[in-house]
Amino acid sequence: MGFKPANRIQDLQYFGEFGGVNPSISDSSTYTFLSAKTMFDTFEGNADGCYLYSRHSSPSNLYLGEALAAMEGTETANVSASGMGAITPVLMQLCGAGDHIVSSRTIYGGTYAFLKNFISRFHVETSFVDITKLDAVEAAITKNTKVLYCETVSNPLLEVADIKGLAAIAKKHKLKLVVDNTFSPLSISPAIWGADIIIHSLTKFINGSSDTVGGVVCSTQKFINDLRNVNQGASMLLGSTMDSLRAASILKNLRTLHIRMQQHSKNGLFLAQKFEADGLKTVYPGLKSHPSHELFKSMMNAQYGYGGMLTIDVGTLEKANELMELMQNRNLGYLAVSLGFYKTLFSAPGTSTSSEIPEHEQKAMGISDGLIRFSIGLDDDIERTYHMMNACMKELGIL
Ligand SMILES: Cc1ncc(COP(=O)(O)O)c(C=O)c1O
């Protein structure tokens, strides 16, 4: 009955080096070989199960990678030191000088900056399109296009990508569909709808404790081998490697992701419905008023809900700043970027996580001055939280 990502995490079984219920943490940068021949074979990529050097792979990183591959339903995965440390090698692996990328225009500001300002220096050009319009996506494809890039649920506007429709276009034009699924872990599993490569910033919901940055690329064994190849692999050569201690701690946090996502989603839906009923301009994929509500519903693994991210528009940046400061003073959350924490986090995207995007382009995308992005926390009593937020809004004349 459907895809069950949390079962796949639950079903992983570990016997640590000393019989521990957690795998032992690998604490070595380099590994011994009993024969010189095996060392040579490992460098050639022909000795499965042998470790070479921890920038290439390490037991702890492989455990975490395999768990995330199980969650996303891909053959395997490669973890990295940050989400950007996953995104940038994927794009550099797939594209060389003269190639072209078609990307959603509403994506995380860092990814936007990488495409617009950085990879363009190596003559890889990007066309930014409205990802919700499949005809516009297809029209932007040229003979040099190699990659279709999007976020399942976009940062910060919460636009929803039609993964199945995009996968069909990618297949038709022989492109790789690369999907950043950071905002919707468990809720949507892009691989089952045809995405080729799924990326997460583990920094967010998956780790969930705002104590580290991390990333992952989930894909086929062949693509992950390509990324790790000692001669040609962008992950191996650019060197954004996660530390083993962090991999072990993220693996432990991953096991409660299904419980956390259900609570984030329950609280997100509750607040979104209340805010909308109060007359605030509210965007949340779980609201019927969201233009892609039905699309999200058609792709979702229902029990994990519509996620913990929502936006409201309070009109001006001044009001947005006043509200965020007041909510922080009332201990309703933190004025901070990032997402997926147990406390609510709020920020104004135009002046923070999307500030890499020039102002006129922000306007064209719909990032308005008064926009506040919320990552809703795990509050047990969300009704209490709502009443306190509502009081802040009334105090500032927003309501
Ligand atoms: C959707 C999305 N993708 C990628 C990233 C980058 O991840 P990291 O900060 O872990 O490098 C972020 C960070 O905010 C993000 O929101």
Side-chain angles (χ1 to χ4, degrees):
M1 273 274 298
F3 186 72
K4 300 273 188 190
N7 283 3
R8 297 168 68 100
I9 296 170
Q10 182 75 28
D11 289 347
L12 295 165
Q13 190 181 38
Y14 301 98
F15 294 101
E17 197 181 358
F18 306 104
V21 294
N22 290 305
S24 307
I25 300 173
S26 51
D27 195 26
S28 296
S29 58
T30 191
Y31 302 83
T32 57
F33 290 88
L34 293 180
S35 84
K37 164 91 172 60
T38 322
M39 181 184 271
F40 174 77
D41 288 345
T42 306
F43 263 93
E44 295 290 297
N46 296 329
D48 268 358
C50 287
Y51 296 96
L52 178 67
Y53 183 63
S54 285
R55 174 154 47 78
H56 180 261
S57 64
S58 66
S60 295
N61 287 11
L62 288 191
Y63 278 125
L64 177 60
E66 291 316 309
L68 291 162
M71 178 185 89
E72 286 295 2
T74 61
E75 284 174 18
T76 189
N78 189 50
V79 296
S80 53
S82 70
M84 288 308 289
I87 293 166
T88 55
V90 163
L91 295 172
M92 296 189 87
Q93 192 72 33
L94 294 173
C95 298
D99 289 340
H100 176 247
I101 296 170
V102 175
S103 169
S104 166
R105 61 183 189 173
T106 65
I107 49 173
Y108 166 59
T111 311
Y112 181 91
F114 177 74
L115 290 169
K116 180 121 182 174
N117 308 328
F118 196 94
I119 202 171
S120 54
R121 288 166 44 201
F122 304 97
H123 303 286
V124 175
E125 300 306 326
T126 304
S127 298
F128 293 97
V129 298
D130 180 344
I131 204 73
T132 63
K133 299 204 164 70
L134 293 182
D135 47 350
V137 172
E138 191 156 19
I141 294 169
T142 72
K143 64 178 188 351
N144 297 328
T145 310
K146 293 286 186 310
V147 170
L148 212 52
Y149 186 90
C150 68
E151 294 172 0
T152 316
V153 178
S154 76
N155 184 359
L157 292 173
L158 311 181
E159 287 179 351
V160 181
D162 175 356
I163 306 293
K164 205 169 157 190
L166 292 168
I169 294 175
K171 203 161 179 199
K172 181 171 155 197
H173 295 272
K174 299 191 171 54
L175 317 177
K176 293 288 180 210
L177 176 59
V178 181
V179 178
D180 180 337
N181 200 30
T182 300
F183 276 29
S184 44
L186 299 182
S187 295
I188 297 179
S189 305
I192 65 170
W193 303 108
D196 298 296
I197 296 162
I198 296 100
I199 294 174
H200 284 275
S201 164
L202 301 176
T203 316
K204 314 293 160 47
F205 290 106
I206 290 181
N207 184 52
S209 50
S210 292
D211 56 359
T212 187
V213 288
V216 69
V217 180
C218 303
S219 189
T220 58
Q221 188 70 55
K222 179 177 178 320
F223 184 67
I224 299 300
N225 286 350
D226 287 351
L227 282 176
R228 286 196 192 126
N229 184 288
V230 294
N231 292 308
Q232 324 270 351
S235 294
M236 179 65 183
L237 298 175
L238 295 171
S240 176
T241 309
M242 178 176 277
D243 182 73
S244 290
L245 281 167
R246 281 305 187 190
S249 72
I250 296 171
L251 179 63
K252 284 177 265 189
N253 288 352
L254 176 67
R255 297 166 185 162
T256 56
L257 180 65
H258 60 303
I259 303 168
R260 290 186 280 114
M261 284 317 295
Q262 289 178 46
Q263 188 73 10
H264 284 300
S265 291
K266 179 173 156 252
N267 289 351
L269 182 63
F270 181 87
L271 287 181
Q273 285 171 338
K274 289 283 188 193
F275 290 161
E276 187 171 61
D278 287 338
L280 286 167
K281 196 170 154 204
T282 309
V283 175
Y284 181 72
L287 292 176
K288 288 204 175 66
S289 58
H290 190 290
S292 301
H293 173 66
E294 290 302 324
L295 173 64
F296 193 117
K297 219 164 140 179
S298 73
M299 292 192 287
M300 80 196 287
N301 302 314
Q303 62 272 45
Y304 308 109
Y306 296 91
M309 302 303 294
L310 67 85
T311 68
I312 59 171
D313 191 337
V314 295
T316 63
L317 180 60
E318 291 67 39
K319 277 283 170 232
N321 289 343
E322 281 176 37
L323 178 61
M324 292 189 294
E325 286 168 13
L326 186 59
M327 288 192 298
Q328 176 163 261
N329 288 341
R330 301 273 158 88
N331 197 10
L332 289 165
Y334 292 118
L335 171 46
V337 298
S338 204
L339 38 135
F341 198 38
Y342 80 106
K343 287 248 194 198
T344 294
L345 304 178
F346 30 79
S347 56
T351 51
S352 60
T353 49
S354 299
S355 57
E356 295 91 341
I357 303 173
E359 226 175 295
H360 67 278
E361 292 183 34
Q362 289 190 23
K363 293 279 164 314
M365 293 172 186
I367 301 177
S368 51
D369 287 343
L371 195 71
I372 303 179
R373 185 189 79 178
F374 286 77
S375 163
I376 306 300
L378 299 173
D379 314 33
D380 190 40
D381 187 350
I382 196 66
E383 205 158 341
R384 178 183 72 147
T385 306
Y386 163 70
H387 287 300
M388 291 172 73
M389 286 182 173
N390 182 267
C392 294
M393 291 172 191
K394 285 188 173 139
E395 201 169 313
L396 296 172
I398 292 166
L399 289 178

